[in-house]
Amino acid sequence: MTGLGKSLIIIGIIIVIIGFFAAYGPRMPFSGKLPGDIHIKRENFEFYFPLATSIIVSVIISVILYFFTRR
């Protein structure tokens, strides 16, 4: 049963982090404007891929999961 408890805690933390970024993401000065984020703007076309931001978020989530899943 402790495995279920850990899983629920991890899922809850992930939901809180996603909610935080959804609520306060546009107000963060570094969010989506890091070097490495790809932004192409043309006359009738706009493409945006937050590569560096995605890598940083992935590293943060990996570290959090590492601390909760190690034995």
Side-chain angles (χ1 to χ4, degrees):
M1 203 61 138
T2 61
L4 177 64
K6 275 188 176 182
S7 298
L8 289 174
I9 290 172
I10 291 171
I11 291 169
I13 289 173
I14 291 172
I15 289 173
V16 167
I17 291 171
I18 291 170
F20 177 78
F21 279 114
Y24 297 109
R27 295 185 204 159
M28 289 186 192
F30 63 87
S31 177
K33 297 178 183 170
L34 294 174
D37 290 345
I38 300 169
H39 188 111
I40 300 171
K41 193 172 189 177
R42 304 268 190 235
E43 188 175 314
N44 293 327
F45 176 76
E46 187 171 350
F47 177 76
Y48 178 71
F49 184 72
L51 182 63
T53 305
S54 299
I55 291 171
I56 290 174
V57 169
S58 174
V59 168
I60 291 170
I61 291 173
S62 295
V63 168
I64 291 171
L65 290 175
Y66 170 76
F67 284 120
F68 278 106
T69 58
R70 70 180 175 155
R71 295 175 188 210

